[in-house]
């Protein structure tokens, strides 16, 4: 993997679709509309992007 390093506060960063708390081991990012969004998995990212259309 690419070595993404994030410093996460468990009370702050959650999946923007389902609300699951994110850790440095289960974070999935996607750029949508020029902004980076954080998700727990590709499925949530796909669902969020479809909903925002």
């Amino acid at each position: 993997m690419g070595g993404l390093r994030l410093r996460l506060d468990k009370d702050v960063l959650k999946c923007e679709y389902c609300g699951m708390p994110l850790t440095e081991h289960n974070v999935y990012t996607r750029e949508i509309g020029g902004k980076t969004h954080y998700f727990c998995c590709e499925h949530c990212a796909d669902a969020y992007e479809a909903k925002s259309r």
Side-chain angles (χ1 to χ4, degrees), residues 3-48:
L4 176 65
R5 288 182 170 251
L6 295 174
R7 187 173 171 193
L8 302 175
D9 182 334
K10 292 179 184 175
D11 295 328
V12 175
L13 195 55
K14 295 184 179 183
C15 176
E16 293 183 43
Y17 185 73
C18 73
M20 179 178 175
L22 300 177
T23 69
E24 64 183 79
H25 302 289
N26 80 330
V27 66
Y28 181 88
T29 61
R30 182 175 295 175
E31 189 170 313
I32 301 170
K35 183 178 175 189
T36 302
H37 294 268
Y38 298 89
F39 305 98
C40 63
C41 64
E42 185 175 5
H43 170 77
C44 281
D46 291 342
Y48 179 89

